[in-house]
Amino acid sequence: MASKSPVRERWRAAPACANVRRNHAARELMRRILLGAAMAAMLAAGGVAPAFAQGNPFQPLVYVNDSVVTRYELDQRMRFLQILRAPDGDRASAEQALIDDRLRLFAARQMGIAASDAQIDAGLAEFAGRANMDVEEFTRALAQAGVEQQTFRDFIAAGVVWRELVRQRLVPQVQVSDAELDQEMQRVIETPRITHVALSELIIPAPPGQEAQAMRLAESLVQSVRSEADFAAAARQHSATPSAENGGRLPWAPLENLPPSLRPIILSMQNGQISQPLTVEGAVVLFYLRDSRGTLRPGAKEQVLDYVRFRLASTAEANQIAALSDTCADLFVHARNLPPEQIQRQTLSQGQIPTAEAIRLAVLDDNESTIVSQGGSAEILMLCKRQSALLAGNAQEAPVPVTAEGEEGAAPDPDALPDREQMRGQIFSGKVGQAADNYLAELRANAIIRRP
């Protein structure tokens, strides 16, 4: 049954591409902005600084199972990451990335997986497209910075084979249960929707020819800022706006007042976090999220209870059946000989449940029961399931807003819950990513990695 999951089938059918994650829309937007800006800065600057001092370019640095990482490859990878303005472009991170690529290729060979030219070419085009370039333009820009096309191709090839390995080996093992889906939906319901944010800004001038310098300063600040006080000090020193005198502090603002392209970036941040550099015309911008305010969706705290009430002749009989019943299904099995009029199962919102029963149900978890003595007779009251009213009412997909002309509306309901299947897909992708990380860690632990 798992192999027929629409989520799994969509994952299997996805085209092979470079080993770059696309976890969140905001991160993807930021990556596109930064990549395009970085390429422009590189072209303006005419290259990047050498990664390290000259030496034998083909000197082995690390042996990984049956392959080797050379000084030249490390130099090339560092240059490549510098051009992308990747946060892990230092020597140690670049070396680890090359080691991991060797492990990915090693594991793929063991499974008989190889990247075809067509798959690699598709990956090259997809990656270059993020900088609004075709492959030829992208590789020409790389060459101006001293990065060979083969370095770019090797980077993509490792991602292609790893994705295929994950598709064949790990995807069939991943499942998303309805319980996991309900839990994640419940988390969404209980998470306040951000309505107002308190931001601080730091705007670094980047006149023509100085874009790369401004970006380097911004990146150094991202690495060094650890608190609001750090950000305020940096804003007073480097920011080119009137807010610099106040440490970059901006007043509380409704989220809807921010530019649409900025909202997902701010929503992806935690309170007390600095953003990645954002390039705008003539400047590089950093934001610090001091605080945020939000509200719960209407009805988020309302619950719907599914419960059963069994009337029995004596407390002893009620205790006996309750002791044998771990779930509502068990309760029906052990009380199957009761007349139908003694059994009642209901699914009601809290406001519809009689007060006496609601008080007793309030302290029960799913599939817990309590005995209510009634003179000589007794009742078993068991809670089958406690569920958010919003979640209980989200079994069917909400209708898509339409305009008077019958076209789909552009503004979705802000109180609407995510589509369940879309949420299932997000959970599935996250579990696949975690499984891939775990498998890579296993490969790393079992590999023979040594230095000359």
Side-chain angles (χ1 to χ4, degrees):
M1 183 178 296
S3 63
K4 296 181 181 180
S5 164
V7 173
R8 181 175 285 104
E9 292 304 314
R10 287 198 296 271
W11 207 101
R12 287 178 180 276
C17 62
N19 185 32
V20 179
R21 294 183 177 181
R22 308 171 181 83
N23 294 331
H24 193 281
R27 293 179 183 175
E28 179 64 19
L29 173 63
M30 178 66 77
R31 180 157 44 207
R32 289 176 181 272
I33 293 171
L34 293 181
L35 183 57
M39 293 301 297
M42 181 204 70
L43 291 171
V48 295
F52 46 77
Q54 292 294 326
N56 177 8
F58 301 106
Q59 174 188 353
L61 296 180
V62 185
Y63 293 97
V64 184
N65 291 330
D66 57 354
S67 61
V68 64
V69 175
T70 66
R71 177 182 293 272
Y72 176 74
E73 289 175 296
L74 180 56
D75 176 38
Q76 286 282 293
R77 178 59 66 92
M78 288 179 67
R79 289 172 179 266
F80 183 60
L81 294 176
Q82 288 171 7
I83 291 168
L84 301 182
R85 304 296 182 191
D88 53 356
D90 59 282
R91 175 168 180 159
S93 297
E95 183 177 277
Q96 185 60 58
L98 286 168
I99 292 172
D100 288 346
D101 279 356
R102 292 295 193 276
L103 295 173
R104 294 182 179 102
L105 293 167
F106 175 80
R109 286 198 301 272
Q110 288 186 318
M111 291 186 61
I113 296 172
S116 67
D117 289 340
Q119 288 176 313
I120 296 176
D121 288 343
L124 295 171
E126 191 271 343
F127 196 89
R130 296 182 195 160
N132 296 318
M133 299 181 181
D134 58 29
V135 175
E136 183 178 352
E137 292 172 327
F138 193 86
T139 53
R140 186 164 57 245
L142 291 176
Q144 293 180 17
V147 178
E148 293 192 2
Q149 182 180 16
Q150 190 61 43
T151 296
F152 180 31
R153 193 173 185 85
D154 290 345
F155 174 80
I156 295 298
V160 167
V161 298
W162 182 246
R163 184 176 180 87
E164 184 61 29
L165 181 150
V166 169
R167 181 184 288 115
Q168 293 185 23
R169 182 187 178 97
L170 302 180
V171 167
Q173 303 174 19
V174 175
Q175 297 182 17
V176 178
S177 67
D178 288 340
E180 288 177 297
L181 179 57
D182 286 344
Q183 184 178 17
E184 182 61 18
M185 293 290 289
Q186 186 67 38
R187 186 195 65 79
V188 171
I189 289 171
E190 295 175 350
T191 300
R193 295 171 298 122
I194 301 301
T195 58
H196 293 74
V197 292
L199 295 172
S200 295
E201 64 177 358
L202 195 161
I203 300 180
I204 303 171
Q210 298 182 31
E211 294 91 347
Q213 179 181 350
M215 179 62 74
R216 284 194 294 270
L217 173 58
E219 290 170 344
S220 69
L221 292 174
V222 169
Q223 296 299 320
S224 62
V225 167
R226 294 291 180 268
S227 65
E228 182 185 349
D230 290 345
F231 189 91
R236 292 187 183 98
Q237 181 179 357
H238 301 291
S239 189
T241 60
S243 64
E245 296 181 1
N246 196 30
R249 290 173 66 94
L250 300 174
W252 281 93
L255 183 68
E256 62 186 18
N257 287 4
L258 300 181
S261 60
L262 183 58
R263 292 173 202 167
I265 298 173
I266 300 303
L267 287 175
S268 70
M269 298 168 59
Q270 301 294 322
N271 292 346
Q273 182 179 357
I274 187 174
S275 70
Q276 291 296 315
L278 174 66
T279 57
V280 297
E281 186 176 356
V284 178
V285 182
L286 295 172
F287 290 103
Y288 185 89
L289 181 58
R290 304 194 310 272
D291 201 356
S292 58
R293 296 173 184 162
T295 60
L296 290 173
R297 287 176 170 81
K301 295 184 178 181
E302 296 177 12
Q303 295 180 344
V304 169
L305 276 58
D306 174 16
Y307 68 101
V308 294
R309 186 195 304 110
F310 283 22
R311 293 201 312 272
L312 299 160
S314 68
T315 301
E317 184 182 8
N319 284 328
Q320 180 183 17
I321 293 177
L324 296 172
S325 304
D326 294 328
T327 66
C328 283
D330 293 340
L331 192 63
F332 278 95
V333 170
H334 295 303
R336 59 183 177 276
N337 294 324
L338 291 178
E341 61 269 16
Q342 292 182 228
I343 302 173
Q344 186 176 27
R345 182 165 187 170
Q346 294 179 296
T347 301
L348 300 172
S349 64
Q350 286 174 305
Q352 297 174 310
I353 301 174
T355 302
E357 288 185 357
I359 292 174
R360 294 185 177 95
L361 291 169
V363 298
L364 300 180
D365 292 328
D366 290 1
N367 295 308
E368 278 191 338
S369 63
T370 186
I371 307 298
V372 182
S373 297
Q374 296 180 335
S377 64
E379 280 189 351
I380 299 176
L381 196 65
M382 177 175 274
L383 176 64
C384 302
K385 187 176 182 62
R386 184 189 305 276
Q387 193 175 31
S388 164
L390 292 178
L391 188 56
N394 195 48
Q396 297 192 6
E397 185 176 352
V400 178
V402 296
T403 63
E405 290 76 17
E407 299 177 353
E408 290 188 4
D413 180 2
D415 293 327
L417 290 175
D419 176 75
R420 285 181 65 87
E421 286 310 307
Q422 290 179 354
M423 180 66 74
R424 190 186 298 273
Q426 292 176 16
I427 299 172
F428 183 84
S429 296
K431 294 181 73 172
V432 169
Q434 185 60 56
D437 289 343
N438 293 341
Y439 183 53
L440 181 59
E442 180 183 336
L443 292 173
R444 199 179 295 127
N446 295 331
I448 299 175
I449 301 174
R450 62 184 181 88
R451 300 179 185 278

